[in-house]
Amino acid sequence: MTAITASLADSPAAQIAGHAAAIRRYDLDWLRIAAFGLLILYHMGMFYVPWDWHVKSIHAGPEIRPLMLLTSPWRLTLLFLISGVATRYMADRLAATSGAGWLLLRARSARLLLPLAFGMLVIVPPQTWCEIVAKLGWTGSVADFYGHYVTGYDGWRPGGRLLIVPTWNHLWFVAYLWVYTMLAIALRPLLRLAARRGLGAAAQVLLTPLGIVLLPGLLLVGLRVVMRPFFPETHALIDDWYLHAEYAAVFLFGYAIARADEIWDAIETLRWPALAAGLACYGWLVWQMQAGLPRGPLGAVVWGIDQWAWIVALLGFARRRLDVDHPWRRYLADAVFPFYILHQTVIVVTGHALTPLALPAAAEAGIILAATVAVCLAGYETVRRLRWLRPFFGLKPA
């Protein structure tokens, strides 16, 4: 049986559990930390580009769009792939335990659904309040607003669109991750059955450099060309079919290849060609955007290639250079989820508060960045010390 087939099929439970306990993918930890750091900067950028967002700076314009475009195609896709790998390791650690599937479901639900609910009721509402004040001139009290928010008031239409409340805003990632984890749990028996019945021949194709570059990339290209024109991105879970097809696919791909060393070796080998392809695609996308040309099918193809090329390059370079531990890695890996939960609210509230001051763009952005880092850091340091608060921010019990 091939290595990837063995990975899909799972080795004996005790062997898996022992092997899982001995392995920590530090390279993926570093990538996850970096990707969430880029997410914070991206959401800061959303305050300054002309694209629709909750609040806008008076300095919003097209100048930083090329920087935003650098990470737009691949940042979240990479995070879902890494999450798939992490879910596989967690599943393997529980494999020797009776009722492993139920334990994984319970553990992931506690780590994801509780912070999601807490975020929607406590962390996200200030974003919505700033949005309706900025876009609708809301003058009601905070108490009136929150009463409308938690009861699903449907009279708000900022920008001509319905504002649905309660909402998860940036926390949509958590909801989607929980759904894909449940999908992986449901498919685990089917993957083992498929492996026993000869999946090896098909899976072996992925073990070639050509396969690892082309097949996932072709899938992303195909989804972009075929599905996105008909299913625009909504982040609303129930109607987001294009993003579900993309993110669920890469999540399950990460889950499947977590222990397939040949695939990770191929990714590392291809890091330089992938980087070259990613830079070329990024240059083309920037030129197309600056020229004001419609993306069309060709743009969708380039976007999909860009996605996978950057992911392969980053995974390859990380495996080559970042598979090392450090005290900062341990600290940041624990802090990244609370930072993620808090950061966008800080950005929105701080940006909204600074707008009437009409500060220079550099000063305004510097204050927003400093406030975001300071509040997220103080929030994490507070949360990690309070046993009762830790679960609401996705931290393990003390």
Side-chain angles (χ1 to χ4, degrees), residues 197-218:
R197 294 191 175 181
L199 184 63
Q204 186 69 35
V205 177
L206 287 174
L207 301 182
T208 67
L210 186 62
I212 197 62
V213 168
L214 287 183
L215 294 184
L218 286 174

Side-chain angles (χ1 to χ4, degrees), residues 80-150:
F80 277 112
L81 191 150
I82 293 172
S83 298
V85 176
T87 301
R88 173 61 187 275
Y89 279 113
M90 181 179 293
D92 286 354
R93 283 196 297 271
L94 295 172
T97 308
S98 176
W102 165 248
L103 290 175
L104 179 59
L105 184 152
R106 188 173 67 179
R108 295 307 281 163
S109 296
R111 293 288 296 278
L112 296 175
L113 294 185
L114 187 58
L116 178 62
F118 176 77
M120 291 176 66
L121 294 176
V122 178
I123 305 299
V124 171
Q127 298 181 37
T128 305
W129 184 83
C130 291
E131 184 172 0
I132 64 169
V133 169
K135 294 181 177 179
L136 302 179
W138 169 266
T139 58
S141 69
V142 172
D144 288 341
F145 158 74
Y146 195 74
H148 286 325
Y149 179 88
V150 297

Side-chain angles (χ1 to χ4, degrees), residues 217 221 224-225 281 296-306:
V221 167
R224 187 82 181 179
V225 171
C281 290
L298 179 58
V301 170
V302 176
W303 183 284
I305 296 172
D306 182 277

